[in-house]
Amino acid sequence: MLNSGASGVGVAQRKSRTDRRIDLIEAARRAIIRHGVDGVQLSHVAEEAGLTSGAVLYHYPDLNELLVEAQHAGMERFYEQRLRQIAAVTDPVKKLVMTIRSGLPTGPLDPDVRLLNELGGAAGRNRMYGVLLTSLYDRQVSMYQSILDTGAALGVFKLSADALTISRNLVALEDAYGYRITARHPVIGPAEAVELILSYARAATGNDLVH
């Protein structure tokens, strides 16, 4: 008779290795949100995935590698996916508004933003998490800066400061209002946060940013 670990591996092999690793990344994300980035353990990931700990280790012998992949997957939405969304858009105004809208949580339970909040809380204690979040911030800033520079070059935007400064402020506003939304602020939801950020963007670009 197979032991529980071998049985778990057998179940895991019913899916392709790639599919199972994707499932485990999602399970790890849920475990981090539930138990905190400092408190998550192998057994927590296994429970979320419906597998044995042995089955998890079969695909990810190093739990830390799995946790880092889970964190990166959560971050992808706020850079890679946003770039893809605006890639075919040529109007800087539309690009800027779309980018602002896509940088906020969908609501208090948004799993990607809750994951980022967990990482932010642990960044001071774990250098790797700090590096991941800093990298995400810098890439988001560069994304905004490209839009602003293009709009200024086309004469669509009249920037009140250099594009880098405005871009840093826009990302900081995303982070601040994103946290307010996940903290269930009674009068700041996604729609209200979009308008608050747009109010700054209108002043910073000299454009009404009609959307």
Side-chain angles (χ1 to χ4, degrees):
M1 181 177 179
L2 293 173
N3 62 35
S4 59
S7 177
V9 171
V11 172
Q13 289 174 334
R14 293 173 189 169
K15 284 191 174 185
S16 72
R17 186 173 180 83
T18 298
D19 287 344
R20 179 54 70 188
R21 286 170 71 93
I22 291 172
D23 289 346
L24 287 173
I25 288 171
E26 290 300 314
R29 291 175 61 195
R30 294 192 299 271
I32 291 170
I33 293 170
R34 184 184 298 272
H35 300 283
V37 71
D38 291 329
V40 67
Q41 299 176 11
L42 175 62
S43 59
H44 298 146
V45 177
E47 180 181 0
E48 291 289 340
L51 298 171
T52 65
S53 294
V56 176
L57 291 174
Y58 174 78
H59 292 279
Y60 283 96
D62 183 349
L63 178 62
N64 286 330
E65 178 189 352
L66 172 57
L67 297 180
V68 169
E69 285 201 27
Q71 292 147 14
H72 183 267
M75 293 178 180
E76 180 186 4
R77 165 181 158 192
F78 294 101
Y79 180 68
E80 287 93 344
Q81 289 185 19
R82 293 167 90 184
L83 280 183
R84 290 194 291 269
Q85 288 171 359
I86 63 174
V89 179
T90 57
D91 179 8
V93 170
K94 188 173 181 179
K95 268 193 175 183
L96 183 56
V97 174
M98 287 176 64
T99 303
I100 289 172
R101 286 186 176 280
S102 61
L104 291 165
T106 57
L109 299 179
D110 189 309
D112 293 324
V113 179
R114 291 177 66 193
L115 179 63
L116 290 179
N117 289 345
E118 287 291 337
L119 292 182
R125 302 183 297 276
N126 188 306
R127 184 176 179 276
M128 175 59 73
Y129 300 151
V131 169
L132 286 171
L133 289 173
T134 298
S135 174
L136 175 62
Y137 173 81
D138 289 343
R139 286 182 293 161
Q140 289 176 309
V141 168
S142 69
M143 176 176 60
Y144 271 116
Q145 189 174 359
S146 176
I147 297 170
L148 293 172
D149 282 337
T150 299
L154 293 173
V156 176
F157 297 151
K158 185 176 181 180
L159 304 182
S160 63
D162 61 275
L164 177 60
T165 296
I166 296 171
S167 299
R168 286 173 173 168
N169 285 334
L170 286 169
V171 179
L173 286 170
E174 283 184 7
D175 292 344
Y177 285 122
Y179 180 78
R180 290 297 125 211
I181 292 168
T182 57
R184 300 178 184 275
H185 192 285
V187 297
I188 299 178
E192 291 79 13
V194 166
E195 288 304 318
L196 288 165
I197 297 175
L198 281 174
S199 69
Y200 166 74
R202 290 183 180 112
T205 61
N207 188 289
D208 290 338
L209 300 179
V210 177
H211 60 98

